[in-house]
Amino acid sequence: VKPPVVVKPKPKPVVKPKPKPVVKVAPPVVKPKPVLSDIDAGRAQIEVLSEKVMALINDLGLSKNEQKLHISKLLETELNIPLMGRLVLDKNWDVANETQQVEYLKTFRKYIIQITSDRLVVSDIKKVKISEVRLAGKKKDVLVRSKLIATLRRPVLADWRLRKDDNGVLKIIDLSVKGFSMILTLRGDFGSVVKTKGIDGLIKLLKDKLIKK
């Protein structure tokens, strides 16, 4: 008798699971910060600076010396003092040797900050109202025209001139009040001293004025 034939069951086909579809998540859209034009940046800079100065000179909790100290720190950052010093000295800058240039700028920094902070502390200005902002000159300076609103007198016209420094930061290089430029006024005063007493005589005169104040 032949043994029964054993029929082996066919193996079941291996069904591979279908891969799950990959859902790509788009990265969040980061909106770039709006870049201010030089005109808008100049306006904003003078608005912020004037608000800070007004807050200081109207702070009754600060003494005059404390007000002056805080204003001086503001001026240190807002003014391009090295450029202002060279603009004031004008052609005499090239006449001065390197040692004189260094000593002059060091002294000029203290002088311009002191006379400016002194004037601001005793002023009765309550508000700076900007009337116009535009580009001016070959260097494309930003000219901010404003009115200084005071308590006991009529508004005074004041023009702020700003220029980008070597780092691309706008800084104040001149202030004209009632049409009189601070740079041009000092240039005439300093030029007369240099003509009679030389660069060293000018440096000594500025140091003497600092001591008296």
Side-chain angles (χ1 to χ4, degrees):
V1 179
K2 293 181 179 181
V5 178
V6 178
V7 180
K8 293 181 179 181
K10 293 180 179 180
K12 292 180 180 181
V14 178
V15 180
K16 294 182 179 180
K18 292 182 180 181
K20 294 181 180 180
V22 178
V23 180
K24 293 183 178 181
V25 180
V29 178
V30 179
K31 293 183 179 180
K33 293 182 179 180
V35 179
L36 293 178
S37 68
D38 288 347
I39 289 178
D40 291 334
R43 175 189 292 274
Q45 188 166 335
I46 297 303
E47 285 177 343
V48 172
L49 174 61
S50 60
E51 287 173 2
K52 289 180 179 178
V53 172
M54 295 305 100
L56 287 170
I57 63 178
N58 292 305
D59 189 341
L60 300 179
L62 296 176
S63 66
K64 292 297 182 184
N65 286 334
E66 288 173 330
Q67 290 175 350
K68 183 178 173 182
L69 178 63
H70 289 299
I71 291 174
S72 296
K73 290 180 179 179
L74 281 176
L75 296 175
E76 279 275 6
T77 59
E78 296 294 333
L79 302 180
N80 188 338
I81 297 175
L83 177 57
M84 293 175 71
R86 293 195 297 272
L87 290 174
V88 167
L89 210 54
D90 198 26
K91 296 178 181 179
N92 289 314
W93 175 259
D94 295 326
V95 175
N97 59 44
E98 186 175 349
T99 301
Q100 289 173 324
Q101 289 175 351
V102 171
E103 190 62 26
Y104 162 74
L105 285 180
K106 180 181 175 183
T107 309
F108 178 80
R109 174 180 294 276
K110 296 177 182 178
Y111 178 76
I112 197 68
I113 288 176
Q114 182 161 300
I115 63 171
T116 306
S117 58
D118 282 345
R119 291 171 183 172
L120 287 172
V121 165
V122 298
S123 69
D124 61 340
I125 301 171
K126 295 299 179 184
K127 186 179 180 181
V128 177
K129 185 177 181 181
I130 295 175
S131 56
E132 179 190 5
V133 186
R134 60 181 174 83
L135 298 180
K138 295 180 180 179
K139 298 286 186 180
K140 293 186 177 180
D141 296 341
V142 178
L143 183 65
V144 181
R145 313 205 76 171
S146 68
K147 289 182 179 179
L148 307 181
I149 311 298
T151 305
L152 302 175
R153 51 195 171 90
R154 292 181 179 180
V156 175
L157 297 178
D159 294 342
W160 316 72
R161 184 176 285 263
L162 299 91
R163 183 181 297 175
K164 286 184 177 179
D165 63 10
D166 295 337
N167 297 317
V169 179
L170 277 175
K171 293 199 172 185
I172 298 168
I173 63 167
D174 194 14
L175 173 61
S176 298
V177 178
K178 294 182 179 180
F180 294 96
S181 161
M182 178 170 61
I183 293 296
L184 295 181
T185 300
L186 291 177
R187 182 182 293 173
D189 295 341
F190 286 17
S192 298
V193 176
V194 172
K195 190 174 182 179
T196 56
K197 300 181 179 180
I199 300 295
D200 289 332
L202 172 63
I203 295 171
K204 183 179 182 304
L205 178 65
L206 295 180
K207 287 182 176 179
D208 290 344
K209 288 187 176 182
L210 288 170
I211 293 172
K212 289 179 182 179
K213 285 180 176 291

